[in-house]
Amino acid sequence: QVQLVESGGGLVQAGGSLRLSCAASGRTLGTYNMGWFRQAPGKEREFVAVISWSGARRYFADSVKGRFTISRDNAKNTVDLQMDSLKPEDTAVYYCAADGRSLRTVLSTQRWDYHYWGQGTQVTVSS
């Protein structure tokens, strides 16, 4: 059973930065694409970023492109989300997720393709 644990959330002023980390246990995730999603109050969970299992490819939601970066360390079984130039609209609970299919070639932005989820970490950006 895969367990994902996020950390690094908190309160930051607009324009600031945060770095979220996701640590996996129970299975090596080196052959799975890893994604970050977020959910604001009253809204559906939305895609933020994904990184391929090798780390060679990345894809971002338009709303965070140029401000967020995603990276992974397969040796440590971790995935990070660096968030810069934060805006109040980035306020949400952020979730780390692992693709349900090993070595998937497509970088999915769809929640149903991700079978393992963390418990989430709150990010609040004040104006």
Side-chain angles (χ1 to χ4, degrees):
Q1 185 74 356
V2 177
Q3 290 187 324
L4 302 176
V5 179
E6 302 96 336
S7 61
L11 173 64
V12 64
Q13 288 189 333
S17 298
L18 281 175
R19 188 176 184 88
L20 305 183
S21 292
C22 173
S25 61
R27 179 188 293 180
T28 298
L29 295 178
T31 60
Y32 295 86
N33 299 338
M34 296 293 295
W36 285 94
F37 289 74
R38 67 186 182 186
Q39 187 166 17
K43 295 187 177 182
E44 291 192 353
R45 192 171 299 188
E46 65 175 6
F47 166 79
V48 174
V50 58
I51 186 167
S52 64
W53 56 270
S54 68
R57 295 180 296 134
R58 299 163 174 83
Y59 184 75
F60 298 90
D62 288 343
S63 58
V64 306
K65 200 170 293 183
R67 300 187 298 120
F68 290 12
T69 56
I70 187 171
S71 60
R72 68 188 298 162
D73 186 333
N74 286 342
K76 296 181 178 179
N77 235 14
T78 59
V79 179
D80 290 350
L81 184 70
Q82 177 67 38
M83 306 185 296
D84 299 319
S85 302
L86 282 162
K87 304 175 181 180
E89 50 264 44
D90 294 318
T91 295
V93 177
Y94 283 71
Y95 298 90
C96 170
D99 196 313
R101 183 185 298 177
S102 177
L103 302 177
R104 189 192 298 267
T105 55
V106 173
L107 298 181
S108 175
T109 65
Q110 305 303 315
R111 289 173 292 171
W112 48 81
D113 284 330
Y114 293 83
H115 292 190
Y116 305 102
W117 294 83
Q119 82 290 347
T121 185
Q122 176 70 47
V123 171
T124 303
V125 184
S126 62
S127 57

